[in-house]
Amino acid sequence: MKRILSGMQPTSQLHLGNYLGALKNWVSFQDKQDTECLYCVVDLHAITVAYEPEVLKKASLEIAAAYIAAGIDPKKSTIFVQSAVPEHSQLMWLLGTMAQMGKLQRMTQFKDKAGKNAERAGLGLFAYPVLMAADILIYKATHVPVGEDQKQHLELTRDLASTFNTKFDIDFFPHPEPVITGPAPRVMSLRDGTKKMSKSEPSDMSRINLTDDADTILKKIKKAKTDPEPLPDSLESLEERPEALNLITLYAALANEAKEDSLKRFAGESFSVFKPAFAELVIESFAPITNEMNKLMQDIDQVQKIVDSGSEKSRDIAAPVLRDVHKIMGLSAL
Ligand code: TYM
């Protein structure tokens, strides 16, 4: 039996990177036999940076609505909010006693987010990967579908599972496998093909959000950085052209075809031909998702019901695992 666990932060709107790096792939797991899927909105991770409580609450439900709108079926997969399952935080403390400061200091996401001011960064931001490990291990998840940027965090999760098993001489936690097989595991910024598309990038022109309207999408794509050369007919010729490679990768991912096939379609054409076609494809792909999301957001109580029931199901799995961990570690019975 495989158990899939993954999550997204409700820090702002989801973007094309979240969709093509992770969410689109999540949908594909829920129809597989012998596979149980748990998809979480990780609001406890979102409070490691500045935030507004009222905005966060709504954003958590919006992300849950985006999961559903993108094709996660609450009848097949469990959709829930992290903070409604306190076992995540409880296991985090226990794993935190085994996590090495040196390893946490090497996490690139921490270095990026803390910036030059690491001394003033909060403990939560530093311990962020331990909470992520707890999210996964509290369900003894076997597979974790994510974008490439989460690989290092997954390595730390595996490391913590080994440390626990070795320390207590028990084969308790599985080693969760990262599944980085989304159609575009590393989506780059529209303004710089060497930087990841990210929610934290100040310029909104660098990303396409799931909720952008058609005009905004077209404007962002028209302004996307490219180069003056026409598109080539082979992938090798794109090696030194990161922006062009990124746009072709995204086109292919949305068209559900190989990059080579997308290139063949546009070989010899300039970006003034490619960009409107690409924008049309993005608009067409997002429209059913955003329409569905808007509908769901008008019935927010229904979304709340879905996550409440998902959180209850998740607790039923997490509570006995935490009880076992307490027993193994010599702590009081829960
Ligand atoms: P987050 O919220 O930053 O991103 C959610 C998912 O989107 C992927 N992603 C991308 N994929 C491709 N290209 C991009 N430019 C891009 N940007 C984001 C991420 O890899 C991720 O899969 N720490 C996690 C959330 C988390 C989690 C977990 C994930 C908390 N606990 C447990 C899995 C399992 C994060 O910050 O994702």
Side-chain angles (χ1 to χ4, degrees):
M1 181 79 186
K2 282 187 191 168
R3 184 175 284 151
I4 306 266
L5 179 291
S6 201
M8 297 204 185
Q9 296 190 66
T11 31
S12 61
Q13 295 303 333
L14 296 187
H15 55 68
L16 194 56
N18 300 129
Y19 179 63
L20 291 177
L23 189 51
K24 193 163 191 262
N25 212 18
W26 293 3
V27 178
S28 66
F29 293 109
Q30 61 183 358
D31 290 317
K32 294 214 164 102
Q33 277 200 330
D34 301 333
T35 302
E36 183 183 5
C37 298
L38 297 151
Y39 297 123
C40 178
V41 180
V42 293
D43 56 348
L44 293 172
H45 279 111
I47 62 171
T48 58
V49 292
Y51 77 101
E52 300 280 342
E54 282 313 312
V55 177
L56 178 68
K57 191 131 207 276
K58 183 160 177 256
S60 294
L61 290 177
E62 246 164 32
I63 299 295
Y67 289 179
I68 301 166
I72 307 289
D73 179 349
K75 290 198 197 81
K76 297 178 184 167
S77 300
T78 304
I79 300 171
F80 69 104
V81 178
Q82 185 188 34
S83 60
V85 186
E87 285 80 2
H88 291 232
S89 319
Q90 290 172 283
L91 180 63
M92 179 209 167
W93 176 259
L94 307 178
L95 294 175
T97 63
M98 290 162 233
Q100 292 176 8
M101 303 270 288
K103 285 183 183 163
L104 293 175
Q105 256 152 6
R106 285 197 287 278
M107 294 291 125
T108 52
Q109 187 167 306
F110 172 70
K111 287 197 263 184
D112 288 350
K113 287 199 174 167
K116 290 195 187 94
N117 236 343
E119 286 291 315
R120 303 185 100 207
L123 177 60
L125 191 64
F126 187 64
Y128 178 114
V130 185
L131 179 58
M132 177 159 162
D135 296 338
I136 298 165
L137 298 177
I138 196 68
Y139 301 104
K140 294 187 165 185
T142 56
H143 293 78
V144 186
V146 281
E148 208 175 79
D149 62 335
Q150 296 302 312
K151 210 171 159 182
Q152 198 186 26
H153 288 159
L154 259 296
E155 271 158 27
L156 189 91
T157 303
R158 292 164 63 86
D159 194 69
L160 281 170
S162 295
T163 305
F164 181 95
N165 291 350
T166 309
K167 192 174 166 96
F168 300 104
D169 195 19
I170 190 167
D171 187 13
F172 184 73
F173 285 126
H175 285 85
E177 292 278 344
V179 186
I180 307 182
T181 53
R186 192 169 176 80
V187 174
M188 309 312 273
S189 155
L190 296 182
R191 309 300 287 163
D192 179 348
T194 62
K195 270 199 198 156
K196 172 183 96 159
M197 185 178 284
S198 158
K199 291 175 204 169
S200 48
E201 168 66 40
S203 167
D204 195 53
M205 292 301 282
S206 67
R207 60 186 160 259
I208 301 173
N209 302 307
L210 214 55
T211 48
D212 284 342
D213 60 29
D215 287 346
T216 310
I217 294 174
L218 185 62
K219 188 171 89 192
K220 286 181 176 177
I221 291 178
K222 279 198 171 156
K223 291 233 155 119
K225 185 179 169 200
T226 44
D227 55 47
E229 301 296 314
L231 283 156
D233 58 4
S234 77
L235 269 181
E236 295 79 65
S237 318
L238 285 182
E239 260 165 32
E240 305 291 317
R241 300 172 63 187
E243 286 82 18
L245 176 61
N246 187 41
L247 296 186
I248 283 292
T249 305
L250 298 179
Y251 186 99
L254 288 173
N256 295 312
E257 64 185 20
K259 284 182 230 178
E260 288 80 356
D261 294 333
S262 302
L263 257 190
K264 260 185 225 150
R265 235 185 247 251
F266 294 101
E269 299 283 11
S270 72
F271 283 101
S272 60
V273 173
F274 172 80
K275 281 181 168 179
F278 174 50
E280 199 182 314
L281 180 60
V282 175
I283 293 163
E284 220 173 71
S285 312
F286 277 6
I289 303 178
T290 31
N291 287 345
E292 186 58 30
M293 223 177 124
N294 290 339
K295 259 194 243 155
L296 286 162
M297 288 311 288
Q298 271 154 28
D299 192 0
I300 199 79
D301 291 348
Q302 181 60 21
V303 180
Q304 184 71 58
K305 263 192 213 147
I306 291 172
V307 299
D308 286 348
S309 134
S311 302
E312 213 173 288
K313 272 194 226 158
S314 303
R315 285 201 79 175
D316 287 345
I317 308 173
V321 175
L322 188 69
R323 268 201 295 277
D324 287 346
V325 173
H326 267 228
K327 254 186 241 156
I328 295 166
M329 292 181 73
L331 298 165
S332 291
L334 285 170

Coordinates of all heavy atoms in Angstrom, one line a residue, residues 116-153:
K116 N 20.2 38.0 4.6 CA 21.4 38.5 5.3 C 21.2 38.5 6.8 O 22.1 38.6 7.6 CB 21.9 39.8 4.8 CG 22.4 39.8 3.4 CD 23.1 41.1 3.0 CE 23.5 41.1 1.6 NZ 22.5 41.8 0.8
N117 N 19.9 38.5 7.2 CA 19.5 38.7 8.5 C 19.2 37.4 9.3 O 18.3 37.4 10.1 CB 18.3 39.6 8.6 CG 18.5 40.8 9.4 OD1 19.5 40.9 10.1 ND2 17.7 41.8 9.2
A118 N 20.1 36.4 9.1 CA 19.8 35.1 9.7 C 19.7 35.1 11.2 O 18.9 34.4 11.8 CB 20.9 34.1 9.2
E119 N 20.5 36.0 11.8 CA 20.4 36.1 13.3 C 19.1 36.5 13.8 O 18.7 36.2 14.9 CB 21.4 37.2 13.7 CG 22.9 36.8 13.6 CD 23.3 35.7 14.7 OE1 22.9 35.9 15.8 OE2 23.9 34.7 14.3
R120 N 18.3 37.3 13.0 CA 17.0 37.7 13.5 C 15.9 36.9 13.0 O 14.7 37.1 13.3 CB 16.8 39.2 13.0 CG 17.9 40.1 13.5 CD 17.6 41.5 13.1 NE 17.0 42.2 14.2 CZ 16.2 43.3 14.1 NH1 15.8 43.7 13.0 NH2 15.8 43.9 15.2
A121 N 16.2 35.8 12.2 CA 15.2 34.9 11.7 C 14.5 34.2 12.8 O 15.2 33.9 13.8 CB 15.7 33.9 10.7
G122 N 13.2 33.9 12.7 CA 12.5 33.2 13.8 C 12.9 31.7 13.9 O 13.4 31.1 12.9
L123 N 12.7 31.1 15.0 CA 13.0 29.7 15.2 C 12.1 28.9 14.3 O 12.5 27.8 13.8 CB 12.7 29.3 16.7 CG 12.9 27.9 17.1 CD1 14.3 27.4 16.8 CD2 12.6 27.6 18.5
G124 N 10.9 29.4 14.0 CA 10.0 28.6 13.2 C 10.5 28.5 11.7 O 10.4 27.4 11.1
L125 N 11.1 29.6 11.2 CA 11.7 29.5 9.9 C 12.8 28.6 9.8 O 13.0 27.8 8.9 CB 12.1 30.9 9.5 CG 12.5 31.1 8.0 CD1 11.2 30.9 7.1 CD2 13.0 32.5 7.7
F126 N 13.6 28.6 10.9 CA 14.8 27.7 11.0 C 14.3 26.2 11.0 O 14.9 25.3 10.4 CB 15.6 28.0 12.2 CG 16.9 27.3 12.3 CD1 17.9 27.5 11.3 CD2 17.2 26.4 13.3 CE1 19.1 26.9 11.4 CE2 18.4 25.8 13.4 CZ 19.4 26.0 12.5
A127 N 13.3 26.0 11.8 CA 12.8 24.6 12.1 C 11.8 24.1 11.0 O 11.3 23.0 11.1 CB 12.2 24.5 13.5
Y128 N 11.5 25.0 10.1 CA 10.5 24.7 9.0 C 10.6 23.3 8.4 O 9.6 22.6 8.3 CB 10.7 25.8 7.9 CG 9.8 25.7 6.7 CD1 8.9 26.7 6.4 CD2 10.0 24.7 5.8 CE1 8.1 26.6 5.3 CE2 9.2 24.6 4.6 CZ 8.3 25.6 4.4 OH 7.5 25.5 3.3
P129 N 11.9 22.8 8.1 CA 12.0 21.5 7.5 C 11.6 20.4 8.5 O 11.3 19.3 8.0 CB 13.4 21.4 7.0 CG 14.0 22.8 7.1 CD 13.2 23.5 8.1
V130 N 11.8 20.6 9.8 CA 11.4 19.6 10.8 C 9.9 19.4 10.8 O 9.4 18.3 10.9 CB 12.0 19.9 12.2 CG1 11.8 18.8 13.1 CG2 13.5 20.3 12.1
L131 N 9.2 20.5 10.7 CA 7.7 20.4 10.6 C 7.3 19.7 9.3 O 6.4 18.9 9.3 CB 7.1 21.8 10.7 CG 5.6 21.9 10.6 CD1 4.9 21.1 11.7 CD2 5.1 23.3 10.7
M132 N 8.0 20.0 8.3 CA 7.7 19.3 7.0 C 7.9 17.8 7.1 O 7.1 17.0 6.7 CB 8.5 19.9 5.9 CG 8.3 19.2 4.6 SD 8.8 20.3 3.2 CE 8.9 19.0 1.9
A133 N 9.0 17.4 7.8 CA 9.3 16.0 8.1 C 8.2 15.4 8.9 O 7.7 14.3 8.6 CB 10.6 15.8 8.8
A134 N 7.7 16.1 9.9 CA 6.6 15.6 10.7 C 5.3 15.5 9.9 O 4.6 14.5 10.1 CB 6.4 16.6 11.9
D135 N 5.1 16.4 9.0 CA 3.9 16.3 8.1 C 3.8 15.0 7.4 O 2.8 14.4 7.2 CB 3.9 17.4 7.0 CG 3.8 18.8 7.5 OD1 3.4 19.0 8.7 OD2 4.2 19.7 6.8
I136 N 5.0 14.6 7.0 CA 5.1 13.3 6.2 C 5.2 12.1 7.1 O 4.4 11.1 6.8 CB 6.4 13.4 5.3 CG1 6.3 14.6 4.4 CG2 6.7 12.1 4.5 CD1 7.6 15.1 3.7
L137 N 6.0 12.1 8.1 CA 6.2 10.9 8.9 C 5.0 10.6 9.8 O 4.8 9.5 10.1 CB 7.5 11.1 9.7 CG 8.8 11.2 8.9 CD1 10.0 11.4 9.8 CD2 9.0 10.0 7.9
I138 N 4.2 11.6 10.2 CA 3.1 11.4 11.1 C 2.1 10.4 10.4 O 1.3 9.8 11.0 CB 2.4 12.7 11.6 CG1 1.5 12.4 12.8 CG2 1.6 13.4 10.5 CD1 2.1 12.0 14.0
Y139 N 2.1 10.4 9.0 CA 1.2 9.4 8.3 C 2.0 8.2 7.8 O 1.5 7.4 7.0 CB 0.6 10.2 7.1 CG -0.3 11.3 7.6 CD1 0.2 12.7 7.5 CD2 -1.5 11.1 8.3 CE1 -0.5 13.7 8.0 CE2 -2.2 12.2 8.8 CZ -1.7 13.5 8.7 OH -2.4 14.5 9.2
K140 N 3.3 8.1 8.1 CA 4.2 7.1 7.6 C 4.0 7.1 6.1 O 3.8 6.0 5.4 CB 3.8 5.7 8.2 CG 4.1 5.6 9.7 CD 3.9 4.2 10.1 CE 4.6 4.0 11.5 NZ 4.5 2.6 11.9
A141 N 4.0 8.3 5.5 CA 3.8 8.4 4.0 C 5.0 7.7 3.3 O 6.1 7.8 3.8 CB 3.7 9.8 3.6
T142 N 4.7 7.1 2.2 CA 5.7 6.4 1.4 C 6.2 7.2 0.2 O 7.3 7.1 -0.2 CB 5.2 5.0 0.9 OG1 4.1 5.3 0.1 CG2 4.9 4.1 2.0
H143 N 5.4 8.1 -0.3 CA 5.7 8.9 -1.5 C 5.3 10.4 -1.3 O 4.2 10.6 -0.8 CB 5.0 8.3 -2.7 CG 5.6 7.0 -3.1 ND1 5.2 5.8 -2.4 CD2 6.5 6.6 -4.0 CE1 5.9 4.8 -2.9 NE2 6.7 5.2 -3.8
V144 N 6.1 11.3 -1.8 CA 5.8 12.7 -1.6 C 6.0 13.4 -2.9 O 7.1 13.7 -3.3 CB 6.7 13.3 -0.5 CG1 6.4 14.8 -0.2 CG2 6.7 12.5 0.8
P145 N 4.9 13.7 -3.7 CA 5.1 14.4 -4.9 C 5.3 15.9 -4.7 O 4.4 16.6 -4.2 CB 3.7 14.1 -5.7 CG 2.8 13.7 -4.6 CD 3.5 13.3 -3.4
V146 N 6.4 16.4 -5.2 CA 6.7 17.8 -5.0 C 7.5 18.3 -6.2 O 7.9 17.5 -7.1 CB 7.7 18.0 -3.8 CG1 6.9 18.0 -2.5 CG2 8.8 17.0 -3.7
G147 N 7.7 19.6 -6.3 CA 8.6 20.2 -7.3 C 10.1 20.0 -6.8 O 10.3 19.7 -5.7
E148 N 11.0 20.3 -7.7 CA 12.4 20.0 -7.5 C 13.0 20.8 -6.3 O 13.8 20.3 -5.6 CB 13.2 20.4 -8.7 CG 14.5 19.6 -8.9 CD 15.1 19.9 -10.2 OE1 15.7 21.0 -10.3 OE2 14.9 19.2 -11.1
D149 N 12.4 22.0 -6.0 CA 12.9 22.8 -4.9 C 12.8 22.2 -3.5 O 13.4 22.6 -2.6 CB 12.3 24.2 -5.0 CG 10.8 24.2 -4.8 OD1 10.2 23.1 -5.1 OD2 10.2 25.2 -4.3
Q150 N 11.9 21.2 -3.4 CA 11.7 20.5 -2.1 C 12.6 19.3 -1.9 O 12.5 18.6 -0.8 CB 10.2 20.2 -2.0 CG 9.3 21.4 -2.0 CD 9.6 22.3 -0.9 OE1 9.8 22.0 0.3 NE2 9.7 23.6 -1.2
K151 N 13.4 19.0 -2.8 CA 14.3 17.8 -2.8 C 15.1 17.8 -1.5 O 15.2 16.7 -0.8 CB 15.2 17.8 -4.0 CG 15.5 16.4 -4.4 CD 16.2 16.5 -5.7 CE 17.0 15.2 -6.0 NZ 17.8 15.3 -7.2
Q152 N 15.7 18.9 -1.2 CA 16.6 18.9 0.0 C 15.8 18.7 1.3 O 16.3 18.0 2.2 CB 17.3 20.3 0.0 CG 18.5 20.3 0.9 CD 19.1 21.7 1.1 OE1 18.4 22.7 0.9 NE2 20.4 21.8 1.3
H153 N 14.6 19.2 1.3 CA 13.8 19.0 2.5 C 13.4 17.5 2.7 O 13.3 17.0 3.7 CB 12.5 19.8 2.5 CG 12.7 21.3 2.7 ND1 11.8 22.3 2.3 CD2 13.8 21.9 3.3 CE1 12.3 23.4 2.7 NE2 13.5 23.3 3.2

